[in-house]
Structures are given as structure tokens and as C-alpha cells.
Amino acid sequence: MANSKILFVTSEAYPLIKTGGLGDVAGSLPVALKAQRNDVRIIMPAYRDAMRKAEKLGFVSFHMEGVPETVRLLEGRLPGTTVKLLLVDSPAHFDRPGGPYCDPDGRDWADNAERFATFCRVVMAVALNKAQLNWQPDVVHCNDWQSGLVPALLAPHPNRPATIFTIHNLAYHGHFDSSKFQTLNLPHYLWGMQGLEFHSGLSFIKGGLVFADMISTVSPTYAEEIRTPHFGHGLDGLLNHRADRLQGILNGIDYKQWNPANDPHLKHHFDSHKLDGKAKNKTELQKQFGLPQQADTPLLGLVGRLVEQKGIDLVLEIIPQLVELGAQLVVLGTGDKGFQAALEAAATKYPQQIAAHIGFSEALAHQIEAGADMFLMPSRFEPCGLNQIYSLCYGTAPIVRHTGGLADTVIDACDENIAQGKASGFQFEHASAIELLQACKRAISIYRQQPKTWKKIITTGMKQDFSWKQSAKHYLKLYQTAQQLSGKQ
Ligand code: ADP
Ligand code: GLC
């Protein structure tokens, strides 16, 4: 399906603003959809940072139906691309310091319900061609709870576009006190178990899960997992009810941003045929983190949000054993204050082997992917995960738990897979420190004792194609299905 008009609704997009993988996806999937001859526009809140970084910004709409007069719409370009960008400029909600969801101290903004309800109302006006743009999308592609009200608000409109809702992380519901339903002035038909009510509160994500024409999530395995109580966060019943509308489409990555052969964040470039640059990046990384510059010491890396989902507690538990094994570990992340403090304490206790940088640094994330030998991702659940894919591309063997997108992208280095030349990393089954440690030991042993096998494992990962091309095609098919189904809920 080419030449569709697609409105891509997101609360973050790289390089304007990013807290995690959604930012990477929103900064690259629309580009891939455009390359396949579609008219794509990204719509996002006009956060202060995004306003500063967007290109060629100008006001395009001052009055939108159903939206307060203080809200305006700006149009520009996603930097470095030709994709059009719409920014929802509501200064009271978005022009402030801090992150897109949290204040500078890491607490959720108290007015998140109001902020994203306003955002969704503007998206609705654009979707119904009531925003003075003279443009109506065929498809509105919503992402995560921040855009959840859009399919719900659009549902009763006869001439609405088709709606798609993509779950990037079912753990985040956008759950608010039921009183918000009144203060946000939401239509009565949306209340109740068939609507936005969840455990007596208001759930934004249900707007997407109940009302979207099609639902997708970011890997085939996670699409299965979220239909079980263990991974369903209380929404597995609803997802089973809508199982015929649910699909898993694996994320791609943007090789313009993540390619070791020309990554601007790296001092030394390399590829699967010429790996010496990787060894030089390792030395740089050890230097940068103040660790002894030893070429033969196995260096493990971890980049990510320091939250329970990512299994940070499991990593903390095995640090003494990693030290005993003579490995080094570098960590980059922000999140839970307890995890941050524990990582810093480990770095203080083992200064020769453990180092942590608490903060967000795009450059350092690339440098760890390039310089480490192995990458830790022991997630309890992982809808897709991009870091393990970046690791595969950068010749850094991922050590991952067998779940979600990790299970779909990493092929375990068991004897059989090694013999068949398929192995690309290391998997373990249960979220336990012992199993994580065993996987690390397996990796370290091959790294030390079987250099040829090690090289084969990492180059197998490097040669895989994780570009968006195929996944974008799957999305276009999904859009087509949604269009056929729209209005026939
Ligand atoms: P999630 O979306 O659950 O956070 P992903 O693996 O899909 O996990 O994507 C995480 C993205 O955010 C990657 O691009 C990763 O490099 C980036 N990232 C996470 N934490 C940091 C950090 N502290 N500094 C720089 N980049 C980070
Ligand atoms: C979420 C998930 C992650 C996924 C990303 C992009 O934040 O936690 O697994 O890769 O979204 O889809």
C-alpha cells in the first residue's frame, strides 16, 4: 500500500526528545514509511527542547475544533529528514524544564492527564481535518498511553480515519484517579469497563486497546506474552478478547544513527570484515571509565533505564562473582534512585573492575555498544528492546533473558547453534541471578578460550539485517487491514 496519508502520534521522537526506545522508533519508522511513498506526518507535544531542535518551524493553526484557544499547532521538519512534523504548542502544558513525563527530580508531572488529554484532542482535530491544515490522514498510528485517548475519542465519528494503537510497553497505563474523567470533560460513553475504566480509575491505554481498529506490539513473542496473566498487567483478558486485532511487528533500527562503520560518536570505525577498530574503542572506553586498559579482560556493558523491568537487581546480585571472574563492567543509565546508589557503591568498592555513569548520554551509549565485548540485558520482560539489536550490529554479544523481543532477535550460543553457524549471543530462561551468572560464564569462557568461535558469534550478529524496510511493509499491511475494518467494530 503506497500513497497513504499517515498521522504518526508520539510523545517522543529522536533527535528532538528521547527517554527510551519509543524515541528511536518514532524518529525512524516514519522515515521508512515515507521512503515507501507515503505521506507521513509526525505529531508530538511542543516540549521546550523539541521547539529548540525542530527545523523550519512555523505556526499553521490557531483554531482547532474542541481545543482551547491557547493551543496552537506548529509545522516543521524532523531534523535530518524530510518528514513533516506537527508540534502541539500548549505552553502551559509543555513549555517547561524537565522531561516529557517527569519533572527535573524524576517525579511524574502532576498534570500528566491534562497534558496528554490536550495533546489527544489536538490529534483528534487534525485526524478529522478540523485543524485548518486542509489535510486528512487515512490512518492515525498511535503509540503508548499518551495517545490512548485518540482512538476512543475518534470512535463515534462517521468520517474518521482508521486507527492503530501500538503497545511499546504494557506496564505503563496512564492510570489516573477516576475524578479526572470529569475534570477532563470526557464524553460519558467512554466510562465503564467497556471504556476507559480500570480498577475504578481512568486508564488512557484502554482507549487504544478497546477502541483502535488494529492493535500492534513491537515483537511477535511479546504479542503472545501479553495475552497471559504474567505479562498482561491486568489487561490480558481484554487483549485476548481482541486477539484477532492484535499483531506483533518487530522493531527495526536506523542504520544512519547506529552503524559502527561510520558512527560519528566513535573515534575508530569498524565492520564485520575489519574488527581492529572495535579493539581500539574498547581501550578508549576503559580509559573513559577509569578502568585498567587491558585488551584481554572481558568487558561487559549495560545501557538503559534503571528500572525493575530491566533486571538491574539481578546484575547487582552477580557483581561480586563478575569481579571474581576477572571481568569488567561499565553501566550507563538513570532511573530508580536505589539502583543508581547501589551501582555507584559497587563502582566505589571495585574501582578496577566496575564503573557506572548515572545520566543520559547518547554519545556514551554508542561508545559502550562499540567498546564492550558483551552487553547485559537480563530483562524481566522486554516488548522489543533496541539495545540488544545495537549490540548485535556493533559486534558486542548480547546476554539476554529469553523473553519478548530479546527471544526474537538473539540466537543462543548453544553447541548446536554454534555448529550451525547461527549463534549470535547468549540467552537464559528465568529471571534469576544464578541463570544470568551462568550465561555470563558461558560467554566469558568462549571469549577467553575459543577466539575463533567468539569471532564467528559476533560477526554473525553484525551481518544480520535489522533495517526498517520489512517492518515498515508489515505496518503498511496493518494499516490496510485497519482501513478495511474501521467503522465495523
Ligand atoms: P526502553 O525503550 O525500554 O528503554 P530499548 O532498548 O528499546 O528500551 O531502548 C532504549 C533506548 O534508550 C536505546 O536507544 C538506548 O541506547 C537509550 N538509552 C537508555 N538509557 C540511556 C542513557 N542513560 N543514556 C543514553 N541512552 C540511553
Ligand atoms: C519500550 C520497550 C522496549 C521497546 C521500545 C520501543 O520502551 O520497553 O522493549 O524496544 O519501547 O518499541
Side-chain angles (χ1 to χ4, degrees):
M1 182 178 80
N3 301 318
S4 284
K5 288 184 271 176
I6 302 159
L7 183 63
F8 192 90
V9 188
T10 182
S11 55
E12 52 183 276
Y14 181 82
L16 298 175
I17 189 145
K18 160 176 162 181
T19 67
L22 172 60
D24 286 348
V25 171
S28 51
L29 171 57
V31 181
L33 292 167
K34 180 151 195 251
Q36 297 187 18
R37 290 174 293 122
N38 297 283
D39 175 2
V40 191
R41 303 186 189 190
I42 298 174
I43 188 162
M44 198 181 82
Y47 309 110
R48 190 176 282 181
D49 272 359
M51 294 271 270
R52 268 199 299 113
K53 291 186 193 157
E55 287 174 358
K56 300 186 181 163
L57 266 193
F59 283 109
V60 284
S61 183
F62 297 88
H63 298 291
M64 290 161 275
E65 214 171 282
V67 177
E69 302 232 314
T70 46
V71 183
R72 295 173 183 192
L73 200 57
L74 296 106
E75 195 179 76
R77 300 275 154 151
L78 184 71
T81 77
T82 55
V83 173
K84 277 192 182 170
L85 171 76
L86 295 165
L87 289 183
V88 175
D89 183 31
S90 175
H93 293 122
F94 302 121
D95 184 12
R96 50 175 84 164
Y101 322 119
C102 300
D103 68 17
D105 292 325
R107 281 179 302 243
D108 284 355
W109 291 111
D111 57 350
N112 268 345
E114 289 79 4
R115 297 169 77 228
F116 290 105
T118 298
F119 174 58
C120 290
R121 287 202 156 101
V122 174
V123 175
M124 179 165 101
V126 174
L128 296 173
N129 199 9
K130 289 179 176 167
Q132 301 176 314
L133 293 181
N134 195 20
W135 182 84
Q136 181 164 26
D138 303 312
V139 168
V140 181
H141 184 165
C142 301
N143 295 278
D144 275 353
W145 72 263
Q146 294 84 356
S147 56
L149 294 185
V150 173
L153 292 169
L154 282 175
H157 288 269
N159 296 320
R160 67 172 176 87
T163 52
I164 279 91
F165 185 80
T166 297
I167 305 164
H168 294 265
N169 196 331
L170 195 62
Y172 300 99
H173 287 188
H175 189 92
F176 302 98
D177 190 86
S178 61
S179 61
K180 289 280 183 200
F181 188 82
Q182 305 293 336
T183 48
L184 294 176
N185 213 5
L186 291 166
H188 289 299
Y189 71 86
L190 287 180
W191 192 245
M193 289 317 290
Q194 314 300 322
L196 303 178
E197 188 180 344
F198 185 70
H199 291 281
S200 310
L202 163 65
S203 166
F204 272 44
I205 201 171
K206 273 193 78 189
L209 302 184
V210 174
F211 294 97
D213 295 313
M214 287 300 288
I215 306 165
S216 74
T217 187
V218 286
S219 69
T221 295
Y222 193 61
E224 295 294 323
E225 287 174 339
I226 54 178
R227 292 174 54 193
T228 65
H230 184 71
F231 292 97
H233 296 276
L235 292 164
D236 41 296
L238 170 57
L239 288 166
N240 276 314
H241 178 64
R242 300 212 71 206
D244 60 330
R245 306 287 181 112
L246 171 65
Q247 275 184 28
I249 302 176
L250 195 69
N251 283 334
I253 65 162
D254 183 355
Y255 281 102
K256 270 202 197 136
Q257 305 296 336
W258 292 92
N259 182 351
N262 54 30
D263 186 330
H265 297 296
L266 304 184
K267 278 204 181 146
H268 311 281
H269 293 134
F270 59 97
D271 59 35
S272 62
H273 304 291
K274 225 176 152 290
L275 283 165
D276 45 330
K278 180 158 177 72
K280 291 182 189 155
N281 284 306
K282 177 173 176 178
T283 310
E284 292 290 339
L285 188 64
Q286 288 169 321
K287 206 191 300 178
Q288 206 166 345
F289 273 90
L291 296 174
Q293 291 150 50
Q294 298 158 342
D296 296 336
T297 298
L299 173 57
L300 291 89
L302 189 160
V303 178
R305 295 181 293 113
L306 303 177
V307 294
E308 212 203 329
Q309 172 194 346
K310 303 287 179 184
I312 306 300
D313 50 326
L314 306 181
V315 175
L316 284 165
E317 237 181 291
I318 66 161
I319 281 181
Q321 284 91 334
L322 288 179
V323 169
E324 206 153 294
L325 284 166
Q328 293 176 336
L329 169 68
V330 294
V331 179
L332 166 67
T334 55
D336 182 281
K337 297 255 182 329
F339 288 148
Q340 294 184 175
L343 286 164
E344 282 179 325
T348 310
K349 188 164 176 194
Y350 306 109
Q352 300 291 306
Q353 287 174 264
I354 311 290
H357 180 96
I358 303 302
F360 196 95
S361 162
E362 191 69 30
L364 209 45
H366 288 243
Q367 288 152 8
I368 291 176
E369 290 290 8
D373 299 304
M374 298 145 208
F375 193 92
L376 291 182
M377 223 157 151
S379 308
R380 289 205 156 69
F381 66 93
E382 197 59 75
C384 177
L386 295 173
N387 274 317
Q388 86 282 10
I389 304 182
Y390 300 146
S391 303
L392 289 168
C393 298
Y394 280 62
T396 304
I399 300 175
V400 304
R401 195 167 98 70
H402 184 90
T403 186
L406 300 173
D408 293 340
T409 51
V410 176
I411 300 177
D412 183 56
C414 61
D415 291 345
E416 197 187 333
N417 288 337
I418 290 179
Q420 292 175 4
K422 291 196 300 199
S424 62
F426 299 83
Q427 291 203 359
F428 61 98
E429 198 61 36
H430 301 105
S432 91
I434 292 173
E435 290 196 24
L436 169 60
L437 181 63
Q438 276 163 354
C440 292
K441 281 184 176 167
R442 271 201 296 144
I444 290 172
S445 155
I446 297 181
Y447 173 84
R448 282 191 171 136
Q449 285 152 32
Q450 302 175 52
K452 268 197 186 149
T453 305
W454 185 261
K455 191 172 171 194
K456 174 69 185 147
I457 291 172
I458 63 172
T459 51
T460 298
M462 293 178 89
K463 285 178 189 158
Q464 282 182 58
D465 179 9
F466 288 107
S467 65
W468 270 109
K469 214 169 170 188
Q470 280 312 317
S471 298
K473 285 203 177 106
H474 288 304
Y475 275 109
L476 292 173
K477 270 213 181 110
L478 184 76
Y479 297 162
Q480 211 168 17
T481 311
Q483 278 182 278
Q484 283 156 5
L485 290 170
S486 59
K488 295 182 209 143
Q489 287 274 347

